[in-house]
Amino acid sequence: MKFTLRYIFENRYDINRNRERKLTERFIPFNVLVKFLSPYPTWLFLNLGIHPDYITFLSLGAIIIGAVLLVVGYPLAGASAFLIFGLLDSVDGDMARCQTKKTAYGGILDSFGADFFYSLAPFSIGFFLFFQNVSVLSFTPAMLFLAGSLTSLTFILYRLINAKVNNFKNTQIDTKQNPNEVAKEKIKSSFLRMIFRLYRHVLIRGNFFAEAGMIFWFFVLILFRQYNVLALYLVVILMYNLLYLFMNLIGSYIYFIRVERN
């Protein structure tokens, strides 16, 4: 099949995507840029007969290369490799949506990109700051390295918790609510509920505490050599993740108790 750019532009979005996904595509600058660029490599790869899975593996390789480059002292090259990952991560999805034959495992394979990024990127940033002997406020270089390591760990932990709870939920026929919804119901005050929603709002999360935002800010701060700001940003991500991890644990426990009582 010969793929045209028009066909790719018409089919690159998931028609069943939810409102949050649409917001991330329109109001997160990095996603807007990637969606503007992705049709062109998508057109090239599809017409070369390259399978989307191969592009997924290339994107995983870009993460590893980016982390290694940061660790060995080439920050701009490493941050650029993360940019390439972000682009390829969009391209493989566009390719899959443009093809009629889809694999059952494609979505799971694609999610590995986020796992790799969250596991390696903050750690490598923390190591780079330590190697550069960056200190900011009361945070020493060693503390910033620890912050980067803990940030990666918190990402891994809450993704693991979510995966396990969702797997447990799938075995509960009569239980409809997930832990996050249970946690929300426990917030009685309208003010606190507003703060909770603002804290986890898709645009705040997407622009600062998820792949797209982190790739963008890592690159910009490294490009302009704002290493002190980069260090503070890393600490803020850690604080954000620690609170979310705590909320996940509490919400999961409440959810388990409700399931046991039903």
Side-chain angles (χ1 to χ4, degrees), residues 14-32:
D14 182 359
I15 59 174
N16 297 316
R17 66 194 188 281
N18 57 26
R19 177 177 174 273
E20 285 196 355
R21 182 67 178 271
K22 292 179 180 178
L23 285 174
T24 63
E25 292 167 349
R26 295 172 183 171
F27 298 106
I28 295 178
F30 183 74
N31 285 345
V32 174

Side-chain angles (χ1 to χ4, degrees), residues 6-226:
R6 179 178 179 179
Y7 176 82
I8 291 168
F9 271 99
E10 291 174 349
N11 292 276
R12 63 197 177 109
Y13 289 108
D14 182 359
I15 59 174
N16 297 316
R17 66 194 188 281
N18 57 26
R19 177 177 174 273
E20 285 196 355
R21 182 67 178 271
K22 292 179 180 178
L23 285 174
T24 63
E25 292 167 349
R26 295 172 183 171
F27 298 106
I28 295 178
F30 183 74
N31 285 345
V32 174
L33 176 63
V34 162
K35 275 299 181 184
F36 174 76
L37 296 175
S38 64
Y40 303 100
T42 297
W43 172 83
L44 176 64
F45 294 148
L46 284 175
N47 285 299
L48 287 175
I50 298 175
H51 195 278
D53 290 351
Y54 299 156
I55 304 303
T56 301
F57 284 117
L58 279 178
S59 71
L60 298 180
I63 298 171
I64 297 171
I65 291 170
V68 171
L69 287 170
L70 278 160
V71 167
V72 299
Y74 295 93
L76 188 56
S80 298
F82 290 156
L83 285 178
I84 294 172
F85 154 69
L87 176 60
L88 294 178
D89 189 48
S90 178
V91 168
D92 63 5
D94 291 355
M95 292 174 66
R97 282 184 287 274
C98 288
Q99 290 185 326
T100 55
K101 182 184 289 186
K102 298 178 176 61
T103 59
Y105 58 82
I108 298 298
L109 184 62
D110 185 61
S111 71
F112 290 171
D115 296 329
F116 273 59
F117 179 79
Y118 291 136
S119 301
L120 296 176
F123 168 82
S124 61
I125 292 289
F127 186 91
F128 166 73
L129 294 171
F130 171 76
F131 186 78
Q132 293 293 315
N133 200 35
V134 174
S135 59
V136 60
L137 299 179
S138 59
F139 294 96
T140 64
M143 292 172 67
L144 292 174
F145 176 50
L146 179 62
S149 302
L150 289 177
T151 300
S152 287
L153 180 61
T154 54
F155 274 121
I156 295 169
L157 287 176
Y158 80 63
R159 288 175 71 85
L160 182 62
I161 290 171
N162 283 341
K164 285 181 174 292
V165 173
N166 286 335
N167 183 60
F168 175 79
K169 179 189 173 186
N170 290 336
T171 67
Q172 307 302 309
I173 299 175
D174 296 326
T175 304
K176 303 297 183 183
Q177 290 178 298
N178 62 42
N180 287 332
E181 292 300 321
V182 172
K184 290 177 185 177
E185 288 185 4
K186 288 294 181 179
I187 302 175
K188 302 300 183 182
S189 165
S190 59
F191 175 75
L192 289 178
R193 186 161 55 248
M194 180 187 68
I195 296 298
F196 179 89
R197 289 174 178 172
L198 182 63
Y199 166 78
R200 289 302 292 170
H201 193 279
V202 62
L203 295 184
I204 292 177
R205 189 171 72 248
N207 275 302
F208 299 101
F209 304 106
E211 287 170 73
M214 291 168 64
I215 291 172
F216 175 80
W217 288 113
F218 286 166
F219 180 81
V220 169
L221 294 174
I222 287 173
L223 176 65
F224 292 102
R225 301 178 66 86
Q226 297 298 310

